[in-house]
Amino acid sequence: MEIGFTKYHGLGNDFILVDNRLSTEPELTPEQAIKLCDRHFGVGADGVIFALPGQDDTDYTMRIFNSDGSEPEMCGNGIRCLARFIADLENTTQPGSYRIHTLAGIMTPQLEPSGMVTVDMGEPRLLAAEIPTTLGQPDCKVISHPLEIADITWKVTCVSMGNPHCITFVEDVATIPLEVLGPQFETHPSFPKKINTEFIQVVRPDYLKMRVWERGAGITLACGTGACASLVAAVLNGHSDRRVTIELPGGCLQIEWAASNNHLYMTGPAEKVFDGKVKV
Ligand code: ZDP
């Protein structure tokens, strides 16, 4: 079988987008997604995203497989790419917004006249049981909590943006051996659904630097849900303002945690790379 796809990226966090509007089930299996994401034997991507028909009064449903075939609840850079993909499918250049059903609830990406995409990412979840993590008490927040990994006691803050994140503040993100630490955080028994791991350097209260090891995908150049979770962690620890620029290896995202409604708003680019067809 041959399948059509379009490759997009948000700050180098890259995805294979599939027009899945004719079926309510993804047109690829997780095994096929693993093969297509392979950078040597496939198309190459951090994940595969399906644009499915909407449900519960939404315009579209988004599903995503990580490059290891696991299915996360949400994907921040991915949903910006999905919004751009839908606008391309609908053949519209009008700035507009979409209501997208995800496993983490309804998200609303908005195409800006500038070409950027702003997404209402909803509210963060902070209780240990909601992350989920076994650190601390189930009904308490996990803020600057000790966690021993690789013979170091890290002070971690946990935030769910629908998917789970563990954030650690460090002096200098450049010196963190991410490929060594990432897998140990990801699979630590304190995180029953595994974890996305962010290291954050506070440059100024309005400017953070971030490096990320993603659950199911490893080192990526950017992570939108991770950037949102990291802002929440920075505010909870008294390190930053509620509106920041976050610099990732692939570029910058603007993130705001609105005091008025507790929602996170993420603004960043989403760019088409190419269309293709591939045998699966
Ligand atoms: O939670 C997970 O398993 C993540 N790997 C999902 C992907 C997150 C993403 N990088 C983002 O931008 O939020 C797409």
Side-chain angles (χ1 to χ4, degrees), residues 13 15 66 72 74-77 163 196 214-215 222-225:
N13 190 196
F15 302 99
N66 283 318
M74 228 318 256
C75 172
N77 288 321
N163 57 352
N196 294 289
E214 281 188 35
R215 177 181 67 167
C223 175
T225 50

Side-chain angles (χ1 to χ4, degrees), residues 29 96 194 207:
T29 63
K194 300 196 182 167
Y207 197 97

Side-chain angles (χ1 to χ4, degrees), residues 265-277:
Y265 295 88
M266 168 192 66
T267 302
E271 288 174 35
K272 178 170 163 172
V273 189
F274 65 92
D275 291 305
K277 279 189 186 146

